[in-house]
Amino acid sequence: MSHQQLKGCSPLITLPSVVVSKILSYLTWHEKLATANAIGINGMWAEALRSTEAWNFVRYGPELEENIYFAEASRKNFAACVKQYGNFMRSVCLTFGYSIANSSSGFSIDNTGEHILKLLQKRCTNLATLLIEQEIPEGCHDVLSYYWPTLVGIVLDHIAVHCKSLKSISLYQPVINWSSDDIFIFSTNNPVAMKVTELELTFMSLLNHDGKLHLLKNLRGLKKLTIRREKVNNEILLHLVRNSLQELTLYQEEELPYEDQKDLGEDFWAEVIKICPKFKTDLILRCVVVLKTLFPPNMPLRNLVLDFLANVMTKGIVDHISDCYKDTLQRFTYTNSFLENQEMGDTRLPTALISLAQKCSKLETIEYGFPLSSSSILLIAQSRKLKNLVVPSVEVTYENDLCMDNSTPNKEEYNNFLKLAGSNKKNLESTVSHILGYQWTLLDGPLKVNERIKF
């Protein structure tokens, strides 16, 4: 819309400034700049653009959604946006899909992630929260080119010092050169180390790092941590919990040495809950042998993801999970992202899944990527008002394979209901939709779990 067209829309011109600022707050930074170009530098809308309400939250990226040839132009345009409106930005989220430095992506020095961060330091004087995420293209063979240079840490330190309103820095998948003498965010008493509240360290973040990550203890304000299981122990985690840690996501994708298996047991979790009663834990297990010992009592388990396991789950393990986490579990995912049409192994597993839905009072999501009968799906849906029930259509058999207990009221009538409602896909989807209270359908295709899970 041109300036003249906007002037012709008298209702838009006469809106109160508080309403205009609210409208602008819902626009992306691209759309805000387009609006600024359309209206010129004067008038109510131009005035509203120069307010913290209009720029309360700004998201740049994800860059991987666009071609690298357009990404440099996006960085240039966003840098111009920060120069003009940075003083009004309160919360900024940056998701880089290409190197944050200038050495590998071919970007000019004025269009690097480093340059954008320097502009945040100089222009965003009212910044309260900052989130920086590094994405890496699937199949990338040159991860080293994604290393965050020491200069990034220096700039972040400057941001932490000069942005007086800054309360929180979140770092997702920083690619760190652990051989460097200066591991920027972990240096003792660094200004940025005091402001990091969320940290996600994936496999890519921990390349070439050996042993336990004791440097985590320098992050005194850390509230949320995502990390590989083998990098932490009782000492490290208790230190973090005593400071401020409230949420922990653990990835385990390899078997632990025997001495490490003793950590994070029942007594440890009892101590954690004593220190922080509202503590939450998420657990993602891949490529490991699943035993009951991986699920100790007292662990405040919120989300459990089991993918591509080295063995099959059994009814006994699922029942153990139900008993231990009946008051905390919100999500249960069990699948194999790499293979389709897998046998479930223990034929009693659907019964255990129904029991899980019945026992776990906070359960909101069940994702199950193995064979399941229509009658089992119906009983799961009746057991709990789930927000998400995900089952691939290819895994469903349309049969009533469950034997009702003799104490079941109107046993014959109920069996007839299961038989009719689960006789075909249309009837199943319609009945489950009615039970759950929203339009429910079977998943078209296999159940895949993303490598990086955001809870």
Side-chain angles (χ1 to χ4, degrees), residues 128-144:
T129 64
L130 173 63
L131 187 153
I132 308 173
E133 178 175 10
Q134 178 70 68
E135 293 185 327
I136 298 176
E138 186 176 350
C140 175
H141 299 295
D142 187 20
V143 177
L144 299 185

Side-chain angles (χ1 to χ4, degrees), residues 74-326:
S74 289
R75 289 190 180 186
K76 181 179 180 180
N77 292 334
F78 184 70
C81 180
V82 173
K83 286 180 182 179
Q84 188 169 3
Y85 297 105
N87 187 50
F88 307 110
M89 296 178 182
R90 293 286 292 161
S91 180
V92 174
C93 172
L94 309 172
T95 303
F96 297 109
Y98 303 99
S99 175
I100 200 170
N102 65 324
S103 57
S104 59
S105 297
F107 294 171
S108 67
I109 194 167
D110 288 336
N111 295 323
T112 63
E114 294 173 2
H115 180 64
I116 290 174
L117 291 176
K118 288 179 182 178
L119 287 174
L120 293 183
Q121 172 206 330
K122 296 176 181 177
R123 304 284 182 165
C124 298
T125 54
N126 292 305
L127 192 64
T129 64
L130 173 63
L131 187 153
I132 308 173
E133 178 175 10
Q134 178 70 68
E135 293 185 327
I136 298 176
E138 186 176 350
C140 175
H141 299 295
D142 187 20
V143 177
L144 299 185
S145 67
Y146 282 81
Y147 273 160
W148 286 18
T150 302
L151 182 59
V152 170
I154 295 173
V155 176
L156 285 176
D157 274 341
H158 290 162
I159 290 174
V161 171
H162 296 295
C163 298
K164 303 298 184 182
S165 299
L166 188 65
K167 304 296 183 184
S168 170
I169 297 176
S170 302
L171 301 176
Y172 290 170
Q173 197 172 221
V175 186
I176 300 170
N177 182 2
W178 297 100
S179 62
S180 171
D181 293 331
D182 181 20
I183 311 300
F184 58 95
I185 62 171
F186 299 107
S187 298
T188 306
N189 296 323
N190 262 25
V192 69
M194 304 297 104
K195 297 289 181 72
V196 173
T197 57
E198 296 187 23
L199 179 64
E200 178 191 21
L201 296 176
T202 65
F203 173 79
M204 295 298 185
S205 303
L206 294 162
L207 283 174
N208 302 321
H209 180 273
D210 296 322
K212 305 299 180 187
L213 189 51
H214 290 279
L215 288 173
L216 284 170
K217 291 185 285 188
N218 291 332
L219 304 181
R220 300 177 188 175
L222 193 62
K223 297 182 184 300
K224 185 176 180 179
L225 173 65
T226 298
I227 195 166
R228 295 173 66 84
R229 167 65 179 84
E230 66 271 19
K231 294 299 177 182
V232 292
N233 57 19
N234 288 359
E235 178 201 354
I236 295 170
L237 291 178
L238 282 176
H239 181 94
L240 293 173
V241 174
R242 290 190 180 104
N243 281 333
S244 57
L245 191 67
Q246 300 171 5
E247 294 186 33
L248 174 67
T249 299
L250 292 172
Y251 283 82
Q252 184 175 341
E253 298 176 339
E254 58 184 52
E255 302 299 334
L256 297 176
Y258 177 74
E259 57 272 16
D260 289 347
Q261 295 176 20
K262 300 175 183 178
D263 277 338
L264 279 61
E266 181 178 355
D267 293 341
F268 165 81
W269 290 113
E271 181 67 15
V272 168
I273 295 301
K274 183 178 178 181
I275 299 169
C276 180
K278 294 184 178 180
F279 198 88
K280 298 289 183 285
T281 305
D282 303 322
L283 188 60
I284 298 122
L285 302 177
R286 292 191 179 100
C287 309
V288 297
V289 176
V290 173
L291 304 171
K292 288 183 181 180
T293 52
L294 291 176
F295 310 105
N298 295 327
M299 179 166 61
L301 185 62
R302 176 177 56 182
N303 298 305
L304 175 61
V305 176
L306 307 164
D307 184 24
F308 193 49
L309 299 180
N311 63 333
V312 295
M313 286 286 285
T314 64
K315 179 179 183 298
I317 294 177
V318 176
D319 286 343
H320 174 76
I321 292 169
S322 300
D323 292 336
C324 288
Y325 313 119
K326 62 182 182 295

